[in-house]
């Protein structure tokens, strides 16, 4: 396993690399220390793309789904000498740059890794952390056993599939974007940090509400359409392309479908009712 470099398949994952951007750490890592990383660049409206990069971490989930951060001594003690050697080399470089925190300390800043315990059932709601247009999808927890969620995404565990898709439909809607725009702080480069704004405006899912069920059903249908569109379009399916353009093009294509138009109508109606 090697650190991605410009021009390689996974180069898009480290566009913002700073301290170690020119460093290489070739070597082997035992399978149990390899995970898939979900980043903002993977997230398009309604869909988490297939291009979640492999990432090696000195950590593992135990039988209760809790994270254990392992130091190099423990990794060596378990017999994974090449794995320990690679993490050691990384820590050697980190000891002379930035705040000199180890890899083990960095991967769990403010508990961002150890908080990622998803359980065995339900769905993960994934939402982009910035931009004018909210971007969201959901995936079954069963598909996230080896998934690490990067800091560029927000996540929430949702017990019910219907509830998860209701949120996906509401969050992706143009009506929601219009509703939060007056409250959305602007940075030097435009809108940023959506955070909790949408959750203050949209109603909680009510399984007895037919409109809520309709939104959930339509969101699933739109997601299936989006998946097909992405697979048929090389630009949309290329995470190295500009993310804002990929998202905008997919939204434009989806707006032409009847399911999306009906979904938009119901989302707008629910936001008017909840105000």
């Amino acid at each position: 396993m090697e650190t991605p470099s410009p021009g390689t398949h996974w180069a898009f994952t480290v566009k913002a690399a700073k301290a170690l951007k020119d460093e290489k750490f070739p070597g082997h890592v035992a399978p149990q220390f390899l995970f898939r990383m979900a980043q903002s660049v993977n997230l398009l409206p309604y869909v988490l793309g297939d291009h979640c990069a492999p990432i090696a971490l000195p950590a593992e989930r135990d039988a209760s789904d809790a994270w254990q951060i392992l130091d190099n001594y423990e990794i060596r003690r378990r017999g994974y000498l090449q794995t320990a050697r690679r993490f050691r080399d990384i820590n050697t470089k980190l000891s002379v740059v930035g705040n000199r925190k180890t890899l083990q300390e960095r991967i769990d800043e403010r508990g961002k890794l150890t908080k990622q315990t998803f359980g065995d059932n339900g769905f993960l709601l994934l939402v982009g952390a910035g931009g004018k247009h909210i971007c969201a999808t959901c995936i079954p927890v069963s598909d996230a056993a080896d998934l690490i969620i990067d800091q560029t995404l927000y996540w929430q565990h949702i017990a019910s599939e219907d509830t998860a898709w209701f949120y996906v439909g509401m969050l992706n809607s143009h009506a929601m974007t219009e509703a939060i725009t007056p409250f959305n702080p602007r940075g030097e480069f435009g809108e940023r940090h959506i955070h909790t704004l949408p959750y203050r405006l949209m109603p909680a899912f009510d399984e007895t509400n037919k409109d809520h069920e309709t939104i959930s059903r339509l969101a699933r249908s739109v997601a299936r359409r989006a998946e097909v569109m992405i697979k048929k379009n090389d630009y949309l399916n290329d995470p190295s392309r500009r993310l804002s353009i990929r998202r905008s093009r997919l939204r434009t294509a989806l707006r032409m479908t009847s399911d999306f138009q009906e979904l938009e109508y119901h989302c707008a109606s629910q936001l008017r009712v909840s105000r």
Side-chain angles (χ1 to χ4, degrees):
M1 184 173 187
E2 295 189 3
T3 304
S5 57
T8 62
H9 180 72
W10 299 111
F12 67 88
T13 65
V14 290
K15 286 181 179 179
K18 296 178 181 178
L20 301 180
K21 65 178 180 178
D22 296 320
E23 299 293 343
K24 302 293 181 185
F25 300 101
H28 297 279
V29 177
Q32 58 265 52
F33 300 104
L34 291 177
F35 305 91
R36 293 180 300 129
M37 179 171 59
Q39 301 172 275
S40 179
V41 71
N42 304 126
L43 181 64
L44 297 181
Y46 298 93
V47 177
L48 180 69
D50 297 328
H51 306 282
C52 292
I55 181 173
L57 298 179
E60 64 178 8
R61 284 191 172 102
D62 63 21
S64 66
D65 196 42
W67 281 100
Q68 303 295 322
I69 311 296
L70 306 177
D71 60 25
N72 279 11
Y73 171 80
E74 177 61 22
I75 295 172
R76 286 197 308 272
R77 189 189 69 80
R78 298 186 184 189
Y80 303 113
L81 303 184
Q82 294 186 69
T83 301
R85 189 176 300 121
R86 188 173 191 272
F87 292 143
R88 179 205 63 194
D89 291 344
I90 294 173
N91 278 331
T92 298
K93 292 292 184 179
L94 289 174
S95 67
V96 296
V97 300
N99 54 21
R100 300 188 179 185
K101 290 184 178 179
T102 65
L103 179 61
Q104 284 84 349
E105 292 172 317
R106 288 169 181 257
I107 64 175
D108 198 36
E109 287 276 3
R110 297 185 294 279
K112 287 183 178 179
L113 178 63
T114 50
K115 290 177 182 177
Q116 293 186 33
T117 54
F118 309 139
D120 298 323
N121 302 297
F123 281 71
L124 288 182
L125 178 68
L126 301 174
V127 185
K132 177 180 179 180
H133 299 277
I134 306 171
C135 192
T137 191
C138 67
I139 60 172
V141 165
S142 57
D143 291 347
D146 64 341
L147 194 68
I148 304 296
I149 301 175
D150 177 75
Q151 63 182 2
T152 56
L153 294 176
Y154 295 126
W155 66 273
Q156 181 180 353
H157 179 269
I158 307 292
S160 159
E161 180 175 7
D162 287 340
T163 304
W165 282 110
F166 171 76
Y167 285 147
V168 170
M170 293 292 296
L171 290 169
N172 279 303
S173 69
H174 179 70
M176 179 61 77
T177 295
E178 291 296 304
I180 69 169
T181 295
F183 309 100
N184 201 350
R186 291 182 59 89
E188 183 179 354
F189 301 103
E191 288 81 3
R192 58 186 173 85
H193 304 315
I194 292 170
H195 292 306
T196 61
L197 283 173
Y199 304 97
R200 303 175 196 170
L201 300 177
M202 65 181 174
F205 178 73
D206 180 357
E207 62 182 9
T208 67
N209 186 312
K210 291 184 178 180
D211 287 333
H212 290 196
E213 290 185 347
T214 297
I215 290 172
S216 180
R217 172 179 57 80
L218 289 170
R220 273 176 276 212
S221 178
V222 171
R224 289 191 292 269
R225 288 181 182 271
E227 288 176 354
V228 172
M229 290 177 178
I230 292 168
K231 290 178 180 178
K232 290 183 176 181
N233 187 299
D234 291 340
Y235 193 99
L236 295 179
N237 202 29
D238 185 352
S240 68
R241 301 287 189 169
R242 188 172 175 181
L243 180 59
S244 60
I245 295 178
R246 291 167 63 221
R247 288 178 174 176
S248 178
R249 288 186 180 182
L250 181 57
R251 288 191 188 96
T252 299
L254 289 172
R255 287 193 189 106
M256 304 302 293
T257 67
S258 58
D259 284 347
F260 184 92
Q261 293 167 9
E262 185 180 356
L263 174 59
E264 190 67 42
Y265 168 80
H266 284 282
C267 290
S269 297
Q270 286 303 306
L271 286 171
R272 285 195 296 268
V273 170
S274 64
R275 291 182 180 178

